[in-house]
Amino acid sequence: MAASLLLIAGTVWGASAQTAQPWAVQSSGLLHGFAEGTFGVGPGLEVQLRRNFSAFSLGVGVDHTWNTESTELVDVSIRVLGIFTEPRYVFDLGSDR
């Protein structure tokens, strides 16, 4: 958990606005946990291809997470794979920042 927080904190300082390039590839790490505390928190990855048209952009990507739980009776490994689309619209607020 502490390593994840450090990873997040380290990326915040280097954050920048959405790119003006027509195509972009984005990736990130994530943590995934099931409801009711059935499994511990597991790591994951997200990769996305994004097309910027102007103020509107559309991303298509994949999420992959994995969780493992071991008890005296059973070893269980769960992998979750999801495909998603992510539309974005940038509102012009009259600022260059």
Side-chain angles (χ1 to χ4, degrees):
M1 183 67 154
S4 300
L5 292 175
L6 287 173
L7 178 66
I8 293 169
T11 58
V12 170
W13 280 270
S16 60
Q18 180 172 313
T19 180
Q21 301 300 316
W23 291 95
V25 176
Q26 301 170 344
S27 66
S28 60
L30 54 97
L31 291 175
H32 179 265
F34 289 93
E36 303 292 328
T38 307
F39 288 88
V41 175
L45 302 169
E46 174 185 300
V47 178
Q48 182 179 152
L49 177 66
R50 177 162 294 283
R51 172 71 166 117
N52 295 313
F53 299 99
S54 61
F56 176 76
S57 68
L58 182 64
V60 176
V62 62
D63 283 330
H64 184 218
T65 62
W66 51 96
N67 296 69
T68 303
E69 186 70 24
S70 296
T71 67
E72 294 177 6
L73 301 175
V74 68
D75 290 331
V76 178
S77 179
I78 295 178
R79 293 180 181 265
V80 179
L81 181 68
I83 298 171
F84 64 91
T85 60
E86 182 183 285
R88 290 184 190 170
Y89 184 80
V90 178
F91 294 96
D92 183 7
L93 301 176
S95 174
D96 60 348
R97 294 181 151 211

